[in-house]
Amino acid sequence: MKFCDECGSMMKSGEGEDHWVCDSCGYEIGREDEDDEWTTESQVESEIVDVSDAEDKGLPQTTAHCPECGNDRAYWYMQQIRSADESETRFFVCTECEHKWREDDH
């Protein structure tokens, strides 16, 4: 997908598919070989969040009941684990035993 440098609209392949054309303003630009490379979900590496030293990372704390040890304080962070059109998931890490759970794991 290519966006117009002039107006920001989505561009389409022009005749012969050797250039991009903006339907909104008519701006044209040549296509490069890199433009044909597509990234699929399987090619994207997900980031692994190491929470073993959560206190040192400055994560915010909240009141949350740990299902493992019963402690009432936890660090929390948000992470996108589903597709982009769905909301993020909130994860908690117990301040005492470092047990990790999701907000919806009740």
Side-chain angles (χ1 to χ4, degrees):
M1 190 178 314
K2 180 84 173 160
F3 293 94
C4 179
D5 293 332
E6 298 295 314
C7 70
S9 297
M10 188 170 68
M11 298 182 80
K12 296 183 180 176
S13 294
E15 292 180 28
E17 298 187 9
D18 61 344
H19 64 282
W20 293 101
V21 177
C22 177
D23 282 342
S24 296
C25 70
Y27 178 76
E28 294 186 23
I29 189 169
R31 288 181 77 155
E32 298 177 13
D33 291 337
E34 298 89 40
D35 292 339
D36 294 330
E37 294 180 11
W38 294 90
T39 303
T40 63
E41 188 173 323
S42 62
Q43 293 172 326
V44 177
E45 293 182 28
S46 61
E47 180 182 345
I48 297 173
V49 178
D50 178 17
V51 294
S52 59
D53 59 347
E55 188 170 17
D56 295 339
K57 291 185 182 242
L59 292 175
Q61 289 188 30
T62 188
T63 302
H65 183 75
C66 175
E68 285 288 309
C69 71
N71 183 34
D72 286 330
R73 296 294 296 166
Y75 302 106
W76 66 273
Y77 63 95
M78 304 289 280
Q79 186 173 4
Q80 187 74 39
I81 60 172
R82 297 182 195 93
S83 61
D85 64 338
E86 296 187 31
S87 62
E88 294 178 307
T89 301
R90 184 169 19 184
F91 287 90
F92 296 99
V93 181
C94 178
T95 58
E96 290 294 319
C97 69
E98 295 188 4
H99 173 69
K100 180 178 167 182
W101 72 97
R102 288 194 263 189
E103 186 170 38
D104 58 355
D105 282 351
H106 299 334

